Amino acid sequence: GQQGGDDDSSGMRPSLAMDIASMPVFAGLDPSVIVDLAGIARPVNAPAGAVVVSAGASGAGLYAVEAGNCAAFVRGLQTESIGPGMVFGEQNLLSGEATQDVLATESSALLEFPAAQLLQIMHGSPSLRTALLRAFQHRNLPSGPIGTTSGGGGISSLG
């Protein structure tokens, strides 16, 4: 017989969990959560110019870029470029509808995490909720350096 992992009934490729775990947004999540994510992830191949998500669409899931590049647009203006290892669509989950159009700017390999299944995993995993919230907040911060200067002279470290 031929040795090979092609008889896996789930159709999930073994490296998928490792690919997901290597993405910054999912870094540090419990391995069981990574396995759950790998279990619902659906590979999507988006040709250049394809619309992956349309603004206003409800029920859109989370997408992760494995290879290639996508661009997000709000009312026709590009707001960001989304490359390998990055995710988009977390705001779809948090608000219930997509807030921007996302197009593949080149032939791209994506992972789609369907909303209903992802929400179930999030329900049981506060760390995943936190990770996606962080990604959402990071995306919605104004670009540029953020002032972290404290109001000076408060606490003295001298004994």
Side-chain angles (χ1 to χ4, degrees), residues 75-132:
R75 293 186 291 277
L77 296 174
Q78 182 173 337
T79 55
E80 68 178 316
S81 179
I82 307 163
M86 297 171 69
V87 299
F88 61 91
E90 74 286 339
Q91 65 268 45
N92 310 351
L93 299 163
L94 298 166
S95 70
E97 69 171 29
T99 55
Q100 52 194 12
D101 299 300
V102 181
L103 279 67
T105 53
E106 58 189 74
S107 181
S108 301
L110 311 175
L111 290 175
E112 178 191 4
F113 301 94
Q117 289 151 291
L118 184 57
L119 286 166
Q120 280 183 319
I121 297 174
M122 286 168 67
H123 189 69
S125 171
S127 59
L128 177 58
R129 277 205 303 274
T130 302
L132 293 176

CSV table of all heavy atoms in Angstrom, one decimal, residues 75-132:
chain,number,residue,atom,x,y,z
A,75,ARG,N,-15.7,52.8,0.6
A,75,ARG,CA,-16.2,53.8,-0.4
A,75,ARG,C,-15.2,54.1,-1.5
A,75,ARG,O,-15.1,55.2,-1.9
A,75,ARG,CB,-16.7,55.1,0.3
A,75,ARG,CG,-17.9,54.9,1.2
A,75,ARG,CD,-18.5,56.2,1.7
A,75,ARG,NE,-17.6,56.8,2.7
A,75,ARG,CZ,-17.5,56.5,4.0
A,75,ARG,NH1,-18.3,55.5,4.5
A,75,ARG,NH2,-16.7,57.1,4.8
A,76,GLY,N,-14.6,53.0,-2.0
A,76,GLY,CA,-13.7,53.2,-3.1
A,76,GLY,C,-12.3,53.6,-2.8
A,76,GLY,O,-11.4,53.7,-3.7
A,77,LEU,N,-12.0,54.0,-1.6
A,77,LEU,CA,-10.7,54.4,-1.2
A,77,LEU,C,-10.0,53.3,-0.4
A,77,LEU,O,-10.5,52.7,0.5
A,77,LEU,CB,-10.7,55.6,-0.3
A,77,LEU,CG,-11.3,56.9,-0.9
A,77,LEU,CD1,-11.5,58.0,0.1
A,77,LEU,CD2,-10.4,57.4,-2.0
A,78,GLN,N,-8.7,53.0,-0.9
A,78,GLN,CA,-8.0,51.9,-0.2
A,78,GLN,C,-7.6,52.3,1.2
A,78,GLN,O,-7.0,53.4,1.4
A,78,GLN,CB,-6.8,51.5,-1.0
A,78,GLN,CG,-6.1,50.3,-0.3
A,78,GLN,CD,-4.9,49.7,-1.2
A,78,GLN,OE1,-4.9,49.9,-2.4
A,78,GLN,NE2,-4.0,49.0,-0.5
A,79,THR,N,-7.9,51.5,2.2
A,79,THR,CA,-7.6,51.8,3.6
A,79,THR,C,-6.4,51.0,4.1
A,79,THR,O,-5.7,51.4,5.0
A,79,THR,CB,-8.8,51.6,4.5
A,79,THR,OG1,-9.2,50.2,4.3
A,79,THR,CG2,-10.0,52.5,4.1
A,80,GLU,N,-6.2,49.8,3.5
A,80,GLU,CA,-5.0,49.1,3.9
A,80,GLU,C,-4.7,48.0,3.0
A,80,GLU,O,-5.5,47.6,2.1
A,80,GLU,CB,-5.3,48.5,5.3
A,80,GLU,CG,-6.3,47.4,5.4
A,80,GLU,CD,-6.5,46.8,6.8
A,80,GLU,OE1,-5.5,46.5,7.4
A,80,GLU,OE2,-7.6,46.6,7.2
A,81,SER,N,-3.5,47.5,3.1
A,81,SER,CA,-3.0,46.3,2.3
A,81,SER,C,-2.9,45.2,3.3
A,81,SER,O,-2.4,45.4,4.4
A,81,SER,CB,-1.7,46.7,1.7
A,81,SER,OG,-1.2,45.5,1.0
A,82,ILE,N,-3.4,44.0,2.9
A,82,ILE,CA,-3.4,42.9,3.8
A,82,ILE,C,-2.6,41.7,3.2
A,82,ILE,O,-3.0,41.1,2.2
A,82,ILE,CB,-4.9,42.4,4.1
A,82,ILE,CG1,-5.7,43.6,4.5
A,82,ILE,CG2,-5.0,41.3,5.1
A,82,ILE,CD1,-7.2,43.4,4.3
A,83,GLY,N,-1.5,41.5,3.9
A,83,GLY,CA,-0.5,40.5,3.3
A,83,GLY,C,-0.5,39.2,4.1
A,83,GLY,O,-1.3,39.0,5.0
A,84,PRO,N,0.4,38.3,3.7
A,84,PRO,CA,0.4,36.9,4.3
A,84,PRO,C,0.6,37.0,5.8
A,84,PRO,O,1.3,37.8,6.4
A,84,PRO,CB,1.7,36.3,3.7
A,84,PRO,CG,1.8,37.0,2.4
A,84,PRO,CD,1.3,38.4,2.6
A,85,GLY,N,-0.2,36.2,6.5
A,85,GLY,CA,-0.2,36.1,8.0
A,85,GLY,C,-1.1,37.1,8.6
A,85,GLY,O,-1.3,37.1,9.9
A,86,MET,N,-1.8,38.0,7.8
A,86,MET,CA,-2.7,38.9,8.4
A,86,MET,C,-4.1,38.4,8.2
A,86,MET,O,-4.4,37.6,7.3
A,86,MET,CB,-2.5,40.3,7.7
A,86,MET,CG,-1.1,40.9,7.9
A,86,MET,SD,-0.8,42.4,6.9
A,86,MET,CE,-2.0,43.6,7.6
A,87,VAL,N,-5.0,39.0,9.0
A,87,VAL,CA,-6.4,38.6,8.9
A,87,VAL,C,-7.3,39.8,8.6
A,87,VAL,O,-6.9,40.9,8.8
A,87,VAL,CB,-7.0,37.9,10.2
A,87,VAL,CG1,-6.2,36.7,10.6
A,87,VAL,CG2,-6.9,38.9,11.4
A,88,PHE,N,-8.5,39.5,8.0
A,88,PHE,CA,-9.4,40.6,7.9
A,88,PHE,C,-10.8,40.0,8.1
A,88,PHE,O,-11.0,38.8,8.0
A,88,PHE,CB,-9.3,41.3,6.5
A,88,PHE,CG,-9.5,40.4,5.3
A,88,PHE,CD1,-10.8,40.2,4.7
A,88,PHE,CD2,-8.5,39.7,4.7
A,88,PHE,CE1,-11.0,39.4,3.6
A,88,PHE,CE2,-8.6,38.9,3.6
A,88,PHE,CZ,-9.9,38.7,3.1
A,89,GLY,N,-11.8,40.9,8.4
A,89,GLY,CA,-13.1,40.4,8.6
A,89,GLY,C,-13.5,40.2,10.1
A,89,GLY,O,-14.6,39.8,10.4
A,90,GLU,N,-12.5,40.5,11.0
A,90,GLU,CA,-12.9,40.3,12.4
A,90,GLU,C,-14.0,41.3,12.8
A,90,GLU,O,-14.8,41.1,13.7
A,90,GLU,CB,-11.7,40.5,13.3
A,90,GLU,CG,-11.1,41.8,13.5
A,90,GLU,CD,-10.3,42.4,12.3
A,90,GLU,OE1,-9.9,41.6,11.5
A,90,GLU,OE2,-10.2,43.6,12.3
A,91,GLN,N,-14.0,42.5,12.1
A,91,GLN,CA,-15.1,43.4,12.4
A,91,GLN,C,-16.5,42.9,11.9
A,91,GLN,O,-17.5,43.3,12.5
A,91,GLN,CB,-14.8,44.8,11.8
A,91,GLN,CG,-14.8,44.9,10.3
A,91,GLN,CD,-13.4,44.7,9.7
A,91,GLN,OE1,-12.7,43.8,10.2
A,91,GLN,NE2,-13.0,45.5,8.8
A,92,ASN,N,-16.5,42.0,10.9
A,92,ASN,CA,-17.7,41.4,10.5
A,92,ASN,C,-18.3,40.6,11.7
A,92,ASN,O,-19.6,40.6,11.9
A,92,ASN,CB,-17.5,40.4,9.4
A,92,ASN,CG,-16.7,40.9,8.2
A,92,ASN,OD1,-16.4,42.1,8.2
A,92,ASN,ND2,-16.3,40.1,7.3
A,93,LEU,N,-17.5,39.9,12.5
A,93,LEU,CA,-18.0,39.1,13.6
A,93,LEU,C,-18.4,40.0,14.7
A,93,LEU,O,-19.4,39.7,15.4
A,93,LEU,CB,-16.8,38.2,14.1
A,93,LEU,CG,-16.3,37.2,13.1
A,93,LEU,CD1,-15.0,36.7,13.5
A,93,LEU,CD2,-17.3,36.1,12.9
A,94,LEU,N,-17.7,41.1,14.9
A,94,LEU,CA,-18.0,42.0,16.1
A,94,LEU,C,-19.2,42.9,15.8
A,94,LEU,O,-20.0,43.2,16.7
A,94,LEU,CB,-16.8,42.8,16.4
A,94,LEU,CG,-15.5,42.0,16.8
A,94,LEU,CD1,-14.3,42.8,16.8
A,94,LEU,CD2,-15.7,41.3,18.2
A,95,SER,N,-19.4,43.3,14.6
A,95,SER,CA,-20.5,44.2,14.3
A,95,SER,C,-21.6,43.5,13.6
A,95,SER,O,-22.7,44.0,13.5
A,95,SER,CB,-20.0,45.3,13.4
A,95,SER,OG,-19.7,44.9,12.1
A,96,GLY,N,-21.4,42.3,13.0
A,96,GLY,CA,-22.5,41.6,12.4
A,96,GLY,C,-22.5,41.8,10.9
A,96,GLY,O,-23.2,41.1,10.1
A,97,GLU,N,-21.8,42.8,10.4
A,97,GLU,CA,-21.7,43.0,8.9
A,97,GLU,C,-20.4,43.6,8.5
A,97,GLU,O,-19.7,44.2,9.3
A,97,GLU,CB,-22.9,43.9,8.5
A,97,GLU,CG,-22.7,45.4,8.9
A,97,GLU,CD,-23.8,46.3,8.2
A,97,GLU,OE1,-24.9,45.8,7.8
A,97,GLU,OE2,-23.5,47.4,8.0
A,98,ALA,N,-20.0,43.3,7.3
A,98,ALA,CA,-18.8,43.8,6.8
A,98,ALA,C,-18.8,45.3,6.6
A,98,ALA,O,-19.8,45.9,6.2
A,98,ALA,CB,-18.5,43.1,5.4
A,99,THR,N,-17.7,46.0,7.0
A,99,THR,CA,-17.6,47.4,6.9
A,99,THR,C,-16.8,47.9,5.7
A,99,THR,O,-16.7,49.1,5.5
A,99,THR,CB,-17.0,48.0,8.2
A,99,THR,OG1,-15.7,47.3,8.4
A,99,THR,CG2,-17.9,47.7,9.4
A,100,GLN,N,-16.2,47.0,5.0
A,100,GLN,CA,-15.4,47.4,3.9
A,100,GLN,C,-15.4,46.4,2.8
A,100,GLN,O,-15.7,45.2,3.1
A,100,GLN,CB,-13.9,47.7,4.3
A,100,GLN,CG,-13.3,46.6,5.1
A,100,GLN,CD,-12.0,47.1,5.9
A,100,GLN,OE1,-11.7,48.2,5.9
A,100,GLN,NE2,-11.3,46.1,6.4
A,101,ASP,N,-15.0,46.8,1.6
A,101,ASP,CA,-14.8,45.8,0.5
A,101,ASP,C,-13.4,45.3,0.6
A,101,ASP,O,-12.5,46.1,0.8
A,101,ASP,CB,-15.0,46.5,-0.9
A,101,ASP,CG,-16.4,47.1,-1.0
A,101,ASP,OD1,-17.4,46.3,-1.0
A,101,ASP,OD2,-16.5,48.3,-1.2
A,102,VAL,N,-13.2,44.0,0.4
A,102,VAL,CA,-11.8,43.5,0.3
A,102,VAL,C,-11.7,42.8,-1.0
A,102,VAL,O,-12.5,41.9,-1.3
A,102,VAL,CB,-11.5,42.6,1.5
A,102,VAL,CG1,-10.1,42.0,1.4
A,102,VAL,CG2,-11.8,43.3,2.8
A,103,LEU,N,-10.7,43.2,-1.7
A,103,LEU,CA,-10.4,42.6,-3.0
A,103,LEU,C,-9.0,42.0,-3.0
A,103,LEU,O,-8.1,42.4,-2.3
A,103,LEU,CB,-10.3,43.7,-4.1
A,103,LEU,CG,-11.7,44.1,-4.7
A,103,LEU,CD1,-12.5,44.9,-3.7
A,103,LEU,CD2,-11.4,45.0,-5.9
A,104,ALA,N,-8.8,40.9,-3.8
A,104,ALA,CA,-7.5,40.3,-3.9
A,104,ALA,C,-6.8,41.1,-5.0
A,104,ALA,O,-7.3,41.3,-6.1
A,104,ALA,CB,-7.6,38.8,-4.4
A,105,THR,N,-5.6,41.7,-4.6
A,105,THR,CA,-4.9,42.5,-5.6
A,105,THR,C,-3.9,41.6,-6.4
A,105,THR,O,-3.4,42.1,-7.4
A,105,THR,CB,-4.0,43.5,-4.8
A,105,THR,OG1,-3.2,42.9,-3.8
A,105,THR,CG2,-4.9,44.6,-4.2
A,106,GLU,N,-3.7,40.4,-6.0
A,106,GLU,CA,-3.0,39.4,-6.8
A,106,GLU,C,-3.6,38.0,-6.4
A,106,GLU,O,-4.4,37.9,-5.5
A,106,GLU,CB,-1.5,39.4,-6.4
A,106,GLU,CG,-1.2,39.2,-5.0
A,106,GLU,CD,0.3,39.4,-4.7
A,106,GLU,OE1,0.7,40.6,-4.6
A,106,GLU,OE2,1.0,38.4,-4.5
A,107,SER,N,-3.3,37.0,-7.2
A,107,SER,CA,-3.8,35.7,-6.9
A,107,SER,C,-3.4,35.3,-5.5
A,107,SER,O,-2.2,35.3,-5.2
A,107,SER,CB,-3.2,34.7,-8.0
A,107,SER,OG,-3.7,33.4,-7.7
A,108,SER,N,-4.4,35.0,-4.7
A,108,SER,CA,-4.1,34.8,-3.3
A,108,SER,C,-4.7,33.5,-2.7
A,108,SER,O,-5.8,33.1,-3.2
A,108,SER,CB,-4.7,36.0,-2.5
A,108,SER,OG,-4.2,37.2,-2.9
A,109,ALA,N,-4.0,32.9,-1.8
A,109,ALA,CA,-4.5,31.8,-1.0
A,109,ALA,C,-5.0,32.2,0.3
A,109,ALA,O,-4.2,32.8,1.1
A,109,ALA,CB,-3.4,30.7,-0.9
A,110,LEU,N,-6.3,32.1,0.6
A,110,LEU,CA,-6.9,32.6,1.8
A,110,LEU,C,-7.4,31.4,2.6
A,110,LEU,O,-7.7,30.3,2.1
A,110,LEU,CB,-8.1,33.5,1.5
A,110,LEU,CG,-7.8,34.7,0.5
A,110,LEU,CD1,-9.1,35.4,0.2
A,110,LEU,CD2,-6.7,35.6,1.0
A,111,LEU,N,-7.7,31.6,3.9
A,111,LEU,CA,-8.4,30.7,4.7
A,111,LEU,C,-9.7,31.4,5.2
A,111,LEU,O,-9.5,32.5,5.7
A,111,LEU,CB,-7.6,30.2,5.9
A,111,LEU,CG,-6.4,29.3,5.7
A,111,LEU,CD1,-5.6,29.1,7.0
A,111,LEU,CD2,-6.9,28.0,5.1
A,112,GLU,N,-10.8,30.8,5.0
A,112,GLU,CA,-12.0,31.4,5.5
A,112,GLU,C,-12.5,30.6,6.7
A,112,GLU,O,-12.5,29.4,6.7
A,112,GLU,CB,-13.1,31.3,4.4
A,112,GLU,CG,-14.5,31.8,4.9
A,112,GLU,CD,-15.7,31.5,4.0
A,112,GLU,OE1,-15.5,30.8,3.0
A,112,GLU,OE2,-16.8,32.0,4.3
A,113,PHE,N,-12.8,31.4,7.8
A,113,PHE,CA,-13.3,30.8,9.0
A,113,PHE,C,-14.8,31.2,9.1
A,113,PHE,O,-15.1,32.4,9.4
A,113,PHE,CB,-12.6,31.3,10.2
A,113,PHE,CG,-11.1,31.0,10.2
A,113,PHE,CD1,-10.2,31.9,9.7
A,113,PHE,CD2,-10.6,29.8,10.7
A,113,PHE,CE1,-8.8,31.6,9.7
A,113,PHE,CE2,-9.3,29.5,10.6
A,113,PHE,CZ,-8.4,30.4,10.1
A,114,PRO,N,-15.7,30.3,8.7
A,114,PRO,CA,-17.2,30.7,8.7
A,114,PRO,C,-17.6,31.3,10.0
A,114,PRO,O,-17.3,30.8,11.1
A,114,PRO,CB,-17.9,29.4,8.3
A,114,PRO,CG,-16.8,28.5,7.7
A,114,PRO,CD,-15.5,28.9,8.4
A,115,ALA,N,-18.4,32.3,9.9
A,115,ALA,CA,-18.8,33.1,11.1
A,115,ALA,C,-19.5,32.3,12.1
A,115,ALA,O,-19.1,32.4,13.3
A,115,ALA,CB,-19.7,34.3,10.6
A,116,ALA,N,-20.5,31.5,11.8
A,116,ALA,CA,-21.3,30.8,12.8
A,116,ALA,C,-20.4,29.8,13.6
A,116,ALA,O,-20.4,29.8,14.8
A,116,ALA,CB,-22.4,30.0,12.1
A,117,GLN,N,-19.5,29.1,12.9
A,117,GLN,CA,-18.6,28.1,13.6
A,117,GLN,C,-17.5,28.9,14.4
A,117,GLN,O,-17.2,28.4,15.5
A,117,GLN,CB,-18.0,27.2,12.5
A,117,GLN,CG,-19.0,26.2,11.9
A,117,GLN,CD,-18.6,25.9,10.5
A,117,GLN,OE1,-18.6,26.7,9.6
A,117,GLN,NE2,-18.2,24.6,10.3
A,118,LEU,N,-17.0,30.0,13.8
A,118,LEU,CA,-16.0,30.7,14.5
A,118,LEU,C,-16.6,31.3,15.8
A,118,LEU,O,-15.9,31.3,16.8
A,118,LEU,CB,-15.4,31.8,13.6
A,118,LEU,CG,-14.3,32.6,14.2
A,118,LEU,CD1,-13.1,31.7,14.6
A,118,LEU,CD2,-13.8,33.7,13.2
A,119,LEU,N,-17.8,31.8,15.8
A,119,LEU,CA,-18.4,32.4,16.9
A,119,LEU,C,-18.6,31.3,18.0
A,119,LEU,O,-18.5,31.6,19.2
A,119,LEU,CB,-19.8,33.0,16.6
A,119,LEU,CG,-19.6,34.4,15.8
A,119,LEU,CD1,-21.0,34.8,15.2
A,119,LEU,CD2,-19.1,35.5,16.7
A,120,GLN,N,-18.9,30.1,17.6
A,120,GLN,CA,-19.0,29.0,18.6
A,120,GLN,C,-17.6,28.8,19.3
A,120,GLN,O,-17.6,28.6,20.5
A,120,GLN,CB,-19.4,27.7,17.9
A,120,GLN,CG,-20.9,27.7,17.6
A,120,GLN,CD,-21.3,26.3,17.0
A,120,GLN,OE1,-20.6,25.8,16.2
A,120,GLN,NE2,-22.5,25.8,17.5
A,121,ILE,N,-16.6,28.8,18.5
A,121,ILE,CA,-15.2,28.6,19.1
A,121,ILE,C,-14.9,29.8,20.0
A,121,ILE,O,-14.4,29.6,21.1
A,121,ILE,CB,-14.2,28.4,18.0
A,121,ILE,CG1,-14.5,27.2,17.2
A,121,ILE,CG2,-12.8,28.3,18.6
A,121,ILE,CD1,-13.5,27.0,16.0
A,122,MET,N,-15.2,31.0,19.6
A,122,MET,CA,-15.0,32.2,20.4
A,122,MET,C,-15.7,32.1,21.7
A,122,MET,O,-15.2,32.5,22.7
A,122,MET,CB,-15.4,33.4,19.6
A,122,MET,CG,-14.4,33.8,18.5
A,122,MET,SD,-15.1,35.1,17.4
A,122,MET,CE,-15.2,36.5,18.5
A,123,HIS,N,-16.9,31.6,21.6
A,123,HIS,CA,-17.8,31.5,22.8
A,123,HIS,C,-17.1,30.7,23.9
A,123,HIS,O,-17.2,31.0,25.1
A,123,HIS,CB,-19.1,30.8,22.5
A,123,HIS,CG,-20.1,30.9,23.6
A,123,HIS,ND1,-20.7,32.0,24.0
A,123,HIS,CD2,-20.6,29.9,24.4
A,123,HIS,CE1,-21.5,31.8,25.0
A,123,HIS,NE2,-21.5,30.5,25.3
A,124,GLY,N,-16.3,29.6,23.5
A,124,GLY,CA,-15.6,28.8,24.5
A,124,GLY,C,-14.2,29.2,24.7
A,124,GLY,O,-13.5,28.5,25.5
A,125,SER,N,-13.7,30.2,24.0
A,125,SER,CA,-12.3,30.6,24.2
A,125,SER,C,-12.2,32.1,24.3
A,125,SER,O,-12.1,32.8,23.3
A,125,SER,CB,-11.6,30.1,22.9
A,125,SER,OG,-10.2,30.7,23.0
A,126,PRO,N,-12.1,32.5,25.6
A,126,PRO,CA,-11.9,34.0,25.8
A,126,PRO,C,-10.6,34.5,25.2
A,126,PRO,O,-10.6,35.6,24.7
A,126,PRO,CB,-11.8,34.1,27.3
A,126,PRO,CG,-12.6,32.9,27.8
A,126,PRO,CD,-12.3,31.8,26.8
A,127,SER,N,-9.6,33.6,25.1
A,127,SER,CA,-8.3,34.1,24.5
A,127,SER,C,-8.5,34.4,23.0
A,127,SER,O,-7.8,35.3,22.5
A,127,SER,CB,-7.2,33.0,24.7
A,127,SER,OG,-7.6,31.8,24.1
A,128,LEU,N,-9.3,33.6,22.3
A,128,LEU,CA,-9.6,33.9,20.9
A,128,LEU,C,-10.3,35.2,20.7
A,128,LEU,O,-10.0,36.0,19.9
A,128,LEU,CB,-10.3,32.7,20.3
A,128,LEU,CG,-10.7,32.9,18.8
A,128,LEU,CD1,-9.4,33.1,17.9
A,128,LEU,CD2,-11.4,31.7,18.2
A,129,ARG,N,-11.3,35.3,21.6
A,129,ARG,CA,-12.1,36.6,21.6
A,129,ARG,C,-11.1,37.8,21.7
A,129,ARG,O,-11.2,38.8,21.0
A,129,ARG,CB,-13.1,36.6,22.7
A,129,ARG,CG,-14.4,35.9,22.3
A,129,ARG,CD,-15.6,36.5,23.1
A,129,ARG,NE,-15.4,36.4,24.6
A,129,ARG,CZ,-15.6,35.3,25.3
A,129,ARG,NH1,-16.1,34.2,24.7
A,129,ARG,NH2,-15.4,35.3,26.6
A,130,THR,N,-10.2,37.7,22.7
A,130,THR,CA,-9.3,38.7,23.0
A,130,THR,C,-8.4,39.0,21.8
A,130,THR,O,-8.1,40.1,21.4
A,130,THR,CB,-8.5,38.4,24.2
A,130,THR,OG1,-9.3,38.2,25.3
A,130,THR,CG2,-7.5,39.5,24.6
A,131,ALA,N,-7.9,37.9,21.2
A,131,ALA,CA,-7.0,38.0,20.0
A,131,ALA,C,-7.7,38.8,18.9
A,131,ALA,O,-7.1,39.6,18.3
A,131,ALA,CB,-6.5,36.6,19.6
A,132,LEU,N,-8.9,38.4,18.6
A,132,LEU,CA,-9.6,39.1,17.5
A,132,LEU,C,-10.0,40.5,17.9
A,132,LEU,O,-10.0,41.4,17.0
A,132,LEU,CB,-10.9,38.3,17.1
A,132,LEU,CG,-10.6,36.9,16.5
A,132,LEU,CD1,-11.8,36.1,16.3
A,132,LEU,CD2,-9.7,37.0,15.2
